[in-house]
Amino acid sequence: DINLDKLDSVIFSSSIQYMENYKEVLDKIFASRIKYIFITETIFTEMSEDIFSLQNNVGNTRFPYIFFSYKKLNQLFCDNNYKLTYNSK
């Protein structure tokens, strides 16, 4: 485990969408009050719910993949007193 209390920022660069336990990870980050959370290289949908799928890779390896509802994930951050400061399409 990493001591989150000593971090100012965290970045999910094309990774959070592969985490089955992303809510648990975010809850720990929210509790530690890390100042900045960056999410990059991640696909969002305009739908009201997330889309869960399996990504099929070489060697018939499968990974969970989440297409996040932009509205729903943004609301999760707002509910934990974070606000969006930059958005890029």
Side-chain angles (χ1 to χ4, degrees), residues 40-84:
T40 66
E41 305 298 322
T42 302
I43 298 172
F44 293 92
T45 73
E46 294 181 9
M47 300 174 75
S48 60
E49 295 297 322
D50 300 329
I51 299 171
F52 295 84
S53 65
L54 286 176
Q55 178 176 320
N56 210 8
N57 284 6
V58 177
N60 206 24
T61 306
R62 294 185 181 147
F63 297 96
Y65 191 99
I66 305 166
F67 294 92
F68 288 105
S69 161
Y70 177 84
K71 181 187 258 184
K72 191 173 172 182
L73 191 63
N74 191 47
Q75 187 62 52
L76 177 63
F77 277 78
C78 289
D79 291 347
N80 285 280
N81 300 312
Y82 283 86
K83 66 178 181 175
L84 182 65

